[in-house]
Amino acid sequence: MTFGAPFHVRALDATLPAGPYEVATEEEAIEGNALTAYVRVATLLTVRTGSLVQTVTVDPADLADGVWRPA
């Protein structure tokens, strides 16, 4: 996901610069008789600062509130 402007991440209590970020969604399968459904259990944002790499759990609404465009 590429953010076109700086954005705030509550999980880090920090404002991050615009640019590309890796966003991953973890899902859990719920097996049924005929169908399998998937439920989102976490949305993860990877932040790279120099040699430091942090992966934090974020609220998807926080990402939707920012100014972004899919990469």
Short mmCIF file of all heavy atoms in Angstrom, two decimals:
data_model
loop_
_atom_site.label_atom_id
_atom_site.label_comp_id
_atom_site.label_asym_id
_atom_site.label_seq_id
_atom_site.Cartn_x
_atom_site.Cartn_y
_atom_site.Cartn_z
N MET A 1 0.86 -1.15 0.00
CA MET A 1 0.00 0.00 0.00
C MET A 1 0.92 1.22 0.00
O MET A 1 1.90 1.26 0.73
CB MET A 1 -0.87 -0.08 1.25
CG MET A 1 -1.76 1.07 1.49
SD MET A 1 -2.86 0.79 2.91
CE MET A 1 -3.95 -0.41 2.25
N THR A 2 0.60 2.20 -0.82
CA THR A 2 1.41 3.41 -0.89
C THR A 2 0.60 4.59 -0.35
O THR A 2 -0.49 4.88 -0.84
CB THR A 2 1.85 3.71 -2.33
OG1 THR A 2 2.61 2.60 -2.80
CG2 THR A 2 2.68 4.97 -2.40
N PHE A 3 1.14 5.25 0.66
CA PHE A 3 0.50 6.43 1.24
C PHE A 3 1.06 7.67 0.55
O PHE A 3 2.27 7.83 0.44
CB PHE A 3 0.76 6.49 2.74
CG PHE A 3 -0.03 5.47 3.51
CD1 PHE A 3 0.44 4.18 3.63
CD2 PHE A 3 -1.24 5.80 4.09
CE1 PHE A 3 -0.28 3.23 4.33
CE2 PHE A 3 -1.97 4.85 4.78
CZ PHE A 3 -1.49 3.56 4.90
N GLY A 4 0.19 8.55 0.10
CA GLY A 4 0.59 9.75 -0.61
C GLY A 4 0.90 10.92 0.30
O GLY A 4 1.35 11.96 -0.15
N ALA A 5 0.66 10.75 1.61
CA ALA A 5 0.91 11.81 2.58
C ALA A 5 1.30 11.15 3.90
O ALA A 5 1.00 9.97 4.12
CB ALA A 5 -0.34 12.66 2.76
N PRO A 6 1.97 11.88 4.80
CA PRO A 6 2.26 11.32 6.11
C PRO A 6 0.96 10.87 6.79
O PRO A 6 -0.10 11.46 6.58
CB PRO A 6 2.90 12.48 6.87
CG PRO A 6 3.47 13.35 5.80
CD PRO A 6 2.49 13.24 4.65
N PHE A 7 1.05 9.81 7.61
CA PHE A 7 -0.15 9.30 8.27
C PHE A 7 0.19 8.85 9.68
O PHE A 7 1.33 8.52 9.99
CB PHE A 7 -0.77 8.15 7.46
CG PHE A 7 0.12 6.94 7.32
CD1 PHE A 7 -0.10 5.81 8.08
CD2 PHE A 7 1.18 6.93 6.41
CE1 PHE A 7 0.72 4.70 7.94
CE2 PHE A 7 1.99 5.82 6.26
CZ PHE A 7 1.77 4.70 7.04
N HIS A 8 -0.82 8.89 10.55
CA HIS A 8 -0.62 8.55 11.96
C HIS A 8 -1.03 7.11 12.22
O HIS A 8 -2.06 6.66 11.73
CB HIS A 8 -1.44 9.49 12.85
CG HIS A 8 -1.18 9.27 14.31
ND1 HIS A 8 -0.06 9.75 14.94
CD2 HIS A 8 -1.88 8.60 15.25
CE1 HIS A 8 -0.09 9.38 16.21
NE2 HIS A 8 -1.18 8.68 16.42
N VAL A 9 -0.22 6.40 12.99
CA VAL A 9 -0.50 5.03 13.38
C VAL A 9 -0.62 5.01 14.91
O VAL A 9 0.35 5.26 15.61
CB VAL A 9 0.61 4.07 12.92
CG1 VAL A 9 0.36 2.66 13.41
CG2 VAL A 9 0.73 4.08 11.41
N ARG A 10 -1.84 4.75 15.38
CA ARG A 10 -2.07 4.73 16.83
C ARG A 10 -1.26 3.64 17.53
O ARG A 10 -0.82 3.82 18.65
CB ARG A 10 -3.56 4.54 17.14
CG ARG A 10 -4.36 5.81 16.93
CD ARG A 10 -5.76 5.63 17.40
NE ARG A 10 -6.54 5.09 16.27
CZ ARG A 10 -7.79 4.74 16.34
NH1 ARG A 10 -8.45 4.83 17.48
NH2 ARG A 10 -8.43 4.30 15.28
N ALA A 11 -1.07 2.50 16.88
CA ALA A 11 -0.33 1.39 17.49
C ALA A 11 1.10 1.78 17.84
O ALA A 11 1.68 1.26 18.78
CB ALA A 11 -0.35 0.18 16.57
N LEU A 12 1.68 2.70 17.08
CA LEU A 12 3.05 3.18 17.33
C LEU A 12 3.06 4.54 18.00
O LEU A 12 4.10 5.02 18.42
CB LEU A 12 3.83 3.29 16.01
CG LEU A 12 4.15 1.99 15.29
CD1 LEU A 12 4.76 2.28 13.93
CD2 LEU A 12 5.09 1.14 16.12
N ASP A 13 1.88 5.19 18.05
CA ASP A 13 1.76 6.57 18.50
C ASP A 13 2.79 7.43 17.78
O ASP A 13 3.56 8.18 18.38
CB ASP A 13 1.93 6.68 20.01
CG ASP A 13 1.50 8.06 20.52
OD1 ASP A 13 0.65 8.70 19.84
OD2 ASP A 13 2.01 8.51 21.56
N ALA A 14 2.80 7.28 16.44
CA ALA A 14 3.76 8.00 15.62
C ALA A 14 3.15 8.37 14.28
O ALA A 14 2.21 7.72 13.82
CB ALA A 14 4.99 7.13 15.39
N THR A 15 3.68 9.42 13.70
CA THR A 15 3.32 9.79 12.34
C THR A 15 4.42 9.27 11.42
O THR A 15 5.60 9.55 11.64
CB THR A 15 3.18 11.32 12.20
OG1 THR A 15 2.13 11.74 13.08
CG2 THR A 15 2.82 11.71 10.78
N LEU A 16 4.02 8.52 10.41
CA LEU A 16 4.97 7.91 9.48
C LEU A 16 4.99 8.70 8.18
O LEU A 16 3.97 9.26 7.77
CB LEU A 16 4.59 6.46 9.22
CG LEU A 16 4.57 5.56 10.45
CD1 LEU A 16 4.07 4.17 10.08
CD2 LEU A 16 5.95 5.47 11.07
N PRO A 17 6.13 8.73 7.51
CA PRO A 17 6.22 9.47 6.25
C PRO A 17 5.46 8.78 5.12
O PRO A 17 5.20 7.58 5.17
CB PRO A 17 7.72 9.50 5.96
CG PRO A 17 8.28 8.33 6.69
CD PRO A 17 7.40 8.13 7.89
N ALA A 18 5.11 9.56 4.12
CA ALA A 18 4.46 9.01 2.92
C ALA A 18 5.40 8.01 2.27
O ALA A 18 6.61 8.09 2.42
CB ALA A 18 4.15 10.14 1.95
N GLY A 19 4.83 7.06 1.56
CA GLY A 19 5.63 6.08 0.85
C GLY A 19 5.00 4.71 0.87
O GLY A 19 3.89 4.53 1.38
N PRO A 20 5.69 3.72 0.33
CA PRO A 20 5.14 2.37 0.27
C PRO A 20 5.35 1.62 1.59
O PRO A 20 6.39 1.75 2.23
CB PRO A 20 5.94 1.70 -0.86
CG PRO A 20 7.25 2.43 -0.85
CD PRO A 20 6.94 3.85 -0.42
N TYR A 21 4.34 0.86 1.99
CA TYR A 21 4.39 0.05 3.20
C TYR A 21 3.78 -1.31 2.90
O TYR A 21 2.86 -1.42 2.08
CB TYR A 21 3.61 0.71 4.35
CG TYR A 21 4.28 1.95 4.88
CD1 TYR A 21 4.07 3.18 4.29
CD2 TYR A 21 5.14 1.88 5.96
CE1 TYR A 21 4.69 4.33 4.75
CE2 TYR A 21 5.77 3.01 6.45
CZ TYR A 21 5.54 4.24 5.84
OH TYR A 21 6.17 5.36 6.31
N GLU A 22 4.27 -2.32 3.58
CA GLU A 22 3.71 -3.66 3.44
C GLU A 22 2.58 -3.82 4.44
O GLU A 22 2.75 -3.57 5.64
CB GLU A 22 4.79 -4.71 3.71
CG GLU A 22 4.30 -6.12 3.57
CD GLU A 22 5.38 -7.14 3.85
OE1 GLU A 22 6.57 -6.83 3.64
OE2 GLU A 22 5.03 -8.23 4.29
N VAL A 23 1.41 -4.22 3.96
CA VAL A 23 0.25 -4.46 4.80
C VAL A 23 -0.20 -5.90 4.55
O VAL A 23 -0.35 -6.31 3.40
CB VAL A 23 -0.90 -3.48 4.49
CG1 VAL A 23 -2.13 -3.80 5.33
CG2 VAL A 23 -0.47 -2.04 4.71
N ALA A 24 -0.35 -6.66 5.62
CA ALA A 24 -0.78 -8.05 5.50
C ALA A 24 -2.02 -8.27 6.37
O ALA A 24 -2.18 -7.64 7.41
CB ALA A 24 0.33 -8.99 5.94
N THR A 25 -2.87 -9.17 5.92
CA THR A 25 -4.07 -9.53 6.67
C THR A 25 -3.98 -10.99 7.06
O THR A 25 -3.74 -11.84 6.21
CB THR A 25 -5.34 -9.30 5.81
OG1 THR A 25 -5.39 -7.92 5.44
CG2 THR A 25 -6.59 -9.65 6.56
N GLU A 26 -4.14 -11.25 8.35
CA GLU A 26 -4.19 -12.62 8.83
C GLU A 26 -5.66 -13.02 8.93
O GLU A 26 -6.47 -12.26 9.47
CB GLU A 26 -3.50 -12.76 10.17
CG GLU A 26 -2.01 -12.62 10.09
CD GLU A 26 -1.31 -12.93 11.41
OE1 GLU A 26 -1.97 -13.30 12.40
OE2 GLU A 26 -0.08 -12.80 11.43
N GLU A 27 -5.97 -14.19 8.41
CA GLU A 27 -7.35 -14.67 8.43
C GLU A 27 -7.41 -16.04 9.06
O GLU A 27 -6.45 -16.80 9.02
CB GLU A 27 -7.90 -14.74 7.00
CG GLU A 27 -7.97 -13.39 6.32
CD GLU A 27 -8.42 -13.49 4.88
OE1 GLU A 27 -8.13 -14.51 4.23
OE2 GLU A 27 -9.05 -12.54 4.42
N GLU A 28 -8.57 -16.35 9.63
CA GLU A 28 -8.82 -17.65 10.23
C GLU A 28 -9.93 -18.34 9.45
O GLU A 28 -10.96 -17.72 9.17
CB GLU A 28 -9.24 -17.45 11.69
CG GLU A 28 -9.50 -18.71 12.46
CD GLU A 28 -9.83 -18.38 13.90
OE1 GLU A 28 -8.91 -18.15 14.69
OE2 GLU A 28 -11.04 -18.34 14.21
N ALA A 29 -9.71 -19.58 9.09
CA ALA A 29 -10.72 -20.34 8.35
C ALA A 29 -11.76 -20.90 9.30
O ALA A 29 -11.42 -21.42 10.38
CB ALA A 29 -10.08 -21.47 7.57
N ILE A 30 -13.01 -20.78 8.92
CA ILE A 30 -14.11 -21.39 9.66
C ILE A 30 -14.73 -22.41 8.73
O ILE A 30 -15.36 -22.07 7.73
CB ILE A 30 -15.15 -20.34 10.09
CG1 ILE A 30 -14.48 -19.30 10.99
CG2 ILE A 30 -16.33 -21.01 10.79
CD1 ILE A 30 -15.38 -18.14 11.36
N GLU A 31 -14.49 -23.67 9.04
CA GLU A 31 -14.94 -24.77 8.18
C GLU A 31 -16.44 -24.99 8.38
O GLU A 31 -16.93 -25.04 9.50
CB GLU A 31 -14.19 -26.06 8.52
CG GLU A 31 -12.68 -25.93 8.41
CD GLU A 31 -12.16 -26.10 7.01
OE1 GLU A 31 -12.86 -26.68 6.17
OE2 GLU A 31 -11.03 -25.65 6.75
N GLY A 32 -17.14 -25.14 7.27
CA GLY A 32 -18.56 -25.46 7.32
C GLY A 32 -18.81 -26.75 6.58
O GLY A 32 -17.89 -27.39 6.07
N ASN A 33 -20.06 -27.18 6.53
CA ASN A 33 -20.40 -28.42 5.83
C ASN A 33 -20.13 -28.29 4.34
O ASN A 33 -19.58 -29.18 3.72
CB ASN A 33 -21.86 -28.80 6.07
CG ASN A 33 -22.08 -29.30 7.48
OD1 ASN A 33 -21.14 -29.73 8.13
ND2 ASN A 33 -23.31 -29.23 7.96
N ALA A 34 -20.55 -27.17 3.75
CA ALA A 34 -20.43 -27.01 2.30
C ALA A 34 -19.42 -25.92 1.93
O ALA A 34 -18.84 -25.97 0.86
CB ALA A 34 -21.78 -26.68 1.70
N LEU A 35 -19.22 -24.95 2.81
CA LEU A 35 -18.37 -23.80 2.48
C LEU A 35 -17.35 -23.55 3.58
O LEU A 35 -17.55 -23.93 4.73
CB LEU A 35 -19.22 -22.55 2.32
CG LEU A 35 -20.29 -22.56 1.22
CD1 LEU A 35 -21.15 -21.32 1.33
CD2 LEU A 35 -19.63 -22.64 -0.14
N THR A 36 -16.29 -22.89 3.21
CA THR A 36 -15.31 -22.41 4.18
C THR A 36 -15.35 -20.89 4.14
O THR A 36 -15.26 -20.30 3.07
CB THR A 36 -13.89 -22.91 3.83
OG1 THR A 36 -13.89 -24.34 3.84
CG2 THR A 36 -12.87 -22.40 4.83
N ALA A 37 -15.50 -20.28 5.30
CA ALA A 37 -15.51 -18.82 5.40
C ALA A 37 -14.22 -18.39 6.08
O ALA A 37 -13.60 -19.15 6.84
CB ALA A 37 -16.71 -18.36 6.20
N TYR A 38 -13.80 -17.17 5.80
CA TYR A 38 -12.59 -16.63 6.40
C TYR A 38 -12.94 -15.36 7.16
O TYR A 38 -13.70 -14.52 6.68
CB TYR A 38 -11.54 -16.33 5.33
CG TYR A 38 -11.02 -17.59 4.68
CD1 TYR A 38 -11.64 -18.13 3.56
CD2 TYR A 38 -9.92 -18.25 5.21
CE1 TYR A 38 -11.17 -19.30 2.98
CE2 TYR A 38 -9.44 -19.41 4.64
CZ TYR A 38 -10.07 -19.94 3.52
OH TYR A 38 -9.61 -21.09 2.96
N VAL A 39 -12.36 -15.23 8.35
CA VAL A 39 -12.58 -14.07 9.20
C VAL A 39 -11.24 -13.40 9.45
O VAL A 39 -10.27 -14.08 9.81
CB VAL A 39 -13.21 -14.50 10.55
CG1 VAL A 39 -13.36 -13.31 11.48
CG2 VAL A 39 -14.55 -15.17 10.32
N ARG A 40 -11.20 -12.08 9.26
CA ARG A 40 -9.95 -11.35 9.51
C ARG A 40 -9.69 -11.34 11.02
O ARG A 40 -10.58 -10.99 11.79
CB ARG A 40 -10.05 -9.92 9.00
CG ARG A 40 -8.81 -9.11 9.31
CD ARG A 40 -8.80 -7.71 8.77
NE ARG A 40 -10.09 -7.13 8.56
CZ ARG A 40 -10.36 -6.25 7.61
NH1 ARG A 40 -9.41 -5.86 6.81
NH2 ARG A 40 -11.56 -5.75 7.47
N VAL A 41 -8.50 -11.73 11.41
CA VAL A 41 -8.15 -11.72 12.83
C VAL A 41 -7.11 -10.65 13.14
O VAL A 41 -6.97 -10.25 14.29
CB VAL A 41 -7.67 -13.11 13.33
CG1 VAL A 41 -8.79 -14.11 13.29
CG2 VAL A 41 -6.48 -13.60 12.54
N ALA A 42 -6.39 -10.17 12.13
CA ALA A 42 -5.40 -9.11 12.36
C ALA A 42 -4.99 -8.47 11.05
O ALA A 42 -4.98 -9.11 10.00
CB ALA A 42 -4.16 -9.67 13.04
N THR A 43 -4.69 -7.18 11.12
CA THR A 43 -4.09 -6.46 10.00
C THR A 43 -2.74 -5.96 10.48
O THR A 43 -2.64 -5.32 11.53
CB THR A 43 -4.97 -5.27 9.57
OG1 THR A 43 -6.25 -5.78 9.17
CG2 THR A 43 -4.36 -4.51 8.41
N LEU A 44 -1.69 -6.29 9.73
CA LEU A 44 -0.33 -6.01 10.15
C LEU A 44 0.33 -5.01 9.20
O LEU A 44 0.21 -5.12 7.98
CB LEU A 44 0.49 -7.30 10.17
CG LEU A 44 -0.10 -8.43 11.02
CD1 LEU A 44 0.63 -9.73 10.74
CD2 LEU A 44 -0.05 -8.08 12.48
N LEU A 45 1.02 -4.04 9.77
CA LEU A 45 1.75 -3.03 9.01
C LEU A 45 3.23 -3.20 9.32
O LEU A 45 3.63 -3.22 10.49
CB LEU A 45 1.29 -1.63 9.41
CG LEU A 45 2.03 -0.46 8.79
CD1 LEU A 45 1.70 -0.34 7.30
CD2 LEU A 45 1.68 0.84 9.51
N THR A 46 4.05 -3.33 8.29
CA THR A 46 5.50 -3.43 8.46
C THR A 46 6.12 -2.07 8.20
O THR A 46 5.90 -1.47 7.16
CB THR A 46 6.09 -4.48 7.50
OG1 THR A 46 5.47 -5.74 7.79
CG2 THR A 46 7.59 -4.61 7.68
N VAL A 47 6.89 -1.60 9.19
CA VAL A 47 7.53 -0.29 9.12
C VAL A 47 9.04 -0.52 9.13
O VAL A 47 9.58 -1.16 10.03
CB VAL A 47 7.13 0.59 10.32
CG1 VAL A 47 7.83 1.94 10.27
CG2 VAL A 47 5.61 0.75 10.37
N ARG A 48 9.72 0.01 8.12
CA ARG A 48 11.18 -0.12 8.01
C ARG A 48 11.81 1.26 8.22
O ARG A 48 11.49 2.20 7.51
CB ARG A 48 11.57 -0.66 6.64
CG ARG A 48 10.99 -2.03 6.36
CD ARG A 48 11.35 -2.52 4.96
NE ARG A 48 10.58 -3.68 4.60
CZ ARG A 48 10.85 -4.92 4.99
NH1 ARG A 48 11.88 -5.15 5.74
NH2 ARG A 48 10.08 -5.92 4.60
N THR A 49 12.70 1.34 9.21
CA THR A 49 13.43 2.57 9.50
C THR A 49 14.90 2.21 9.57
O THR A 49 15.35 1.63 10.56
CB THR A 49 12.96 3.18 10.84
OG1 THR A 49 11.55 3.28 10.85
CG2 THR A 49 13.57 4.54 11.06
N GLY A 50 15.62 2.52 8.51
CA GLY A 50 17.03 2.12 8.45
C GLY A 50 17.11 0.60 8.50
O GLY A 50 16.48 -0.09 7.71
N SER A 51 17.84 0.05 9.48
CA SER A 51 17.96 -1.40 9.60
C SER A 51 16.90 -1.99 10.55
O SER A 51 16.82 -3.20 10.70
CB SER A 51 19.36 -1.78 10.09
OG SER A 51 19.58 -1.22 11.37
N LEU A 52 16.10 -1.14 11.17
CA LEU A 52 15.06 -1.59 12.10
C LEU A 52 13.78 -1.92 11.32
O LEU A 52 13.32 -1.12 10.51
CB LEU A 52 14.76 -0.51 13.13
CG LEU A 52 13.63 -0.79 14.12
CD1 LEU A 52 14.01 -1.96 15.02
CD2 LEU A 52 13.35 0.45 14.94
N VAL A 53 13.22 -3.09 11.58
CA VAL A 53 11.97 -3.50 10.95
C VAL A 53 10.99 -3.83 12.07
O VAL A 53 11.29 -4.64 12.95
CB VAL A 53 12.16 -4.74 10.04
CG1 VAL A 53 10.83 -5.18 9.46
CG2 VAL A 53 13.15 -4.44 8.94
N GLN A 54 9.84 -3.16 12.06
CA GLN A 54 8.80 -3.40 13.05
C GLN A 54 7.53 -3.84 12.33
O GLN A 54 7.17 -3.26 11.30
CB GLN A 54 8.46 -2.13 13.83
CG GLN A 54 9.52 -1.66 14.78
CD GLN A 54 9.05 -0.39 15.46
OE1 GLN A 54 9.07 0.67 14.84
NE2 GLN A 54 8.64 -0.49 16.70
N THR A 55 6.85 -4.82 12.89
CA THR A 55 5.54 -5.21 12.39
C THR A 55 4.57 -5.00 13.53
O THR A 55 4.75 -5.55 14.62
CB THR A 55 5.53 -6.67 11.92
OG1 THR A 55 6.49 -6.82 10.87
CG2 THR A 55 4.17 -7.07 11.39
N VAL A 56 3.56 -4.17 13.29
CA VAL A 56 2.58 -3.84 14.32
C VAL A 56 1.18 -4.18 13.84
O VAL A 56 0.88 -4.11 12.65
CB VAL A 56 2.66 -2.36 14.75
CG1 VAL A 56 3.98 -2.05 15.41
CG2 VAL A 56 2.44 -1.44 13.57
N THR A 57 0.33 -4.54 14.80
CA THR A 57 -1.08 -4.78 14.50
C THR A 57 -1.78 -3.43 14.46
O THR A 57 -1.64 -2.63 15.38
CB THR A 57 -1.70 -5.69 15.57
OG1 THR A 57 -0.97 -6.91 15.62
CG2 THR A 57 -3.15 -5.99 15.26
N VAL A 58 -2.51 -3.17 13.38
CA VAL A 58 -3.21 -1.90 13.23
C VAL A 58 -4.69 -2.14 13.00
O VAL A 58 -5.10 -3.22 12.56
CB VAL A 58 -2.64 -1.06 12.07
CG1 VAL A 58 -1.22 -0.65 12.35
CG2 VAL A 58 -2.72 -1.79 10.75
N ASP A 59 -5.48 -1.12 13.27
CA ASP A 59 -6.91 -1.15 12.98
C ASP A 59 -7.07 -0.81 11.50
O ASP A 59 -6.57 0.21 11.05
CB ASP A 59 -7.62 -0.12 13.85
CG ASP A 59 -9.12 -0.12 13.68
OD1 ASP A 59 -9.63 -0.63 12.65
OD2 ASP A 59 -9.80 0.40 14.57
N PRO A 60 -7.75 -1.66 10.72
CA PRO A 60 -7.93 -1.35 9.28
C PRO A 60 -8.56 0.01 9.04
O PRO A 60 -8.27 0.66 8.04
CB PRO A 60 -8.84 -2.47 8.78
CG PRO A 60 -8.69 -3.57 9.76
CD PRO A 60 -8.37 -2.93 11.07
N ALA A 61 -9.38 0.47 9.97
CA ALA A 61 -10.01 1.79 9.82
C ALA A 61 -8.97 2.90 9.85
O ALA A 61 -9.12 3.92 9.19
CB ALA A 61 -11.05 2.01 10.91
N ASP A 62 -7.88 2.70 10.62
CA ASP A 62 -6.81 3.71 10.67
C ASP A 62 -6.18 3.85 9.28
O ASP A 62 -5.84 4.96 8.85
CB ASP A 62 -5.72 3.33 11.67
CG ASP A 62 -6.16 3.51 13.11
OD1 ASP A 62 -7.22 4.14 13.34
OD2 ASP A 62 -5.46 3.00 14.00
N LEU A 63 -6.00 2.75 8.57
CA LEU A 63 -5.42 2.81 7.23
C LEU A 63 -6.39 3.45 6.26
O LEU A 63 -6.00 4.20 5.38
CB LEU A 63 -5.03 1.41 6.76
CG LEU A 63 -3.99 0.68 7.61
CD1 LEU A 63 -3.72 -0.69 7.03
CD2 LEU A 63 -2.72 1.49 7.75
N ALA A 64 -7.67 3.15 6.40
CA ALA A 64 -8.68 3.70 5.51
C ALA A 64 -8.81 5.22 5.71
O ALA A 64 -9.16 5.93 4.76
CB ALA A 64 -10.02 3.02 5.73
N ASP A 65 -8.53 5.70 6.92
CA ASP A 65 -8.63 7.14 7.20
C ASP A 65 -7.51 7.93 6.55
O ASP A 65 -7.64 9.13 6.33
CB ASP A 65 -8.62 7.40 8.69
CG ASP A 65 -9.91 6.96 9.38
OD1 ASP A 65 -10.91 6.75 8.67
OD2 ASP A 65 -9.90 6.79 10.60
N GLY A 66 -6.39 7.28 6.26
CA GLY A 66 -5.24 7.97 5.67
C GLY A 66 -5.45 8.22 4.20
O GLY A 66 -6.38 7.75 3.57
N VAL A 67 -4.56 9.00 3.64
CA VAL A 67 -4.58 9.26 2.20
C VAL A 67 -3.69 8.21 1.57
O VAL A 67 -2.47 8.22 1.79
CB VAL A 67 -4.06 10.67 1.89
CG1 VAL A 67 -4.02 10.92 0.40
CG2 VAL A 67 -4.91 11.72 2.59
N TRP A 68 -4.25 7.28 0.84
CA TRP A 68 -3.48 6.18 0.28
C TRP A 68 -4.02 5.76 -1.06
O TRP A 68 -5.14 6.04 -1.42
CB TRP A 68 -3.44 5.00 1.23
CG TRP A 68 -4.80 4.42 1.51
CD1 TRP A 68 -5.69 4.81 2.44
CD2 TRP A 68 -5.42 3.34 0.79
NE1 TRP A 68 -6.82 4.05 2.39
CE2 TRP A 68 -6.69 3.15 1.38
CE3 TRP A 68 -5.04 2.54 -0.26
CZ2 TRP A 68 -7.56 2.17 0.94
CZ3 TRP A 68 -5.91 1.57 -0.70
CH2 TRP A 68 -7.16 1.39 -0.11
N ARG A 69 -3.14 5.05 -1.75
CA ARG A 69 -3.52 4.45 -3.01
C ARG A 69 -2.91 3.05 -3.03
O ARG A 69 -1.74 2.90 -2.67
CB ARG A 69 -2.97 5.25 -4.19
CG ARG A 69 -3.64 6.59 -4.33
CD ARG A 69 -3.01 7.37 -5.49
NE ARG A 69 -3.49 8.72 -5.45
CZ ARG A 69 -2.97 9.70 -4.73
NH1 ARG A 69 -1.93 9.47 -3.97
NH2 ARG A 69 -3.48 10.90 -4.76
N PRO A 70 -3.64 2.02 -3.43
CA PRO A 70 -3.04 0.69 -3.50
C PRO A 70 -1.82 0.71 -4.41
O PRO A 70 -1.82 1.38 -5.43
CB PRO A 70 -4.14 -0.18 -4.09
CG PRO A 70 -5.40 0.57 -3.80
CD PRO A 70 -5.03 2.04 -3.81
N ALA A 71 -0.78 -0.02 -4.01
CA ALA A 71 0.46 -0.05 -4.80
C ALA A 71 0.26 -0.85 -6.08
O ALA A 71 -0.59 -1.67 -6.20
CB ALA A 71 1.57 -0.65 -3.97
#
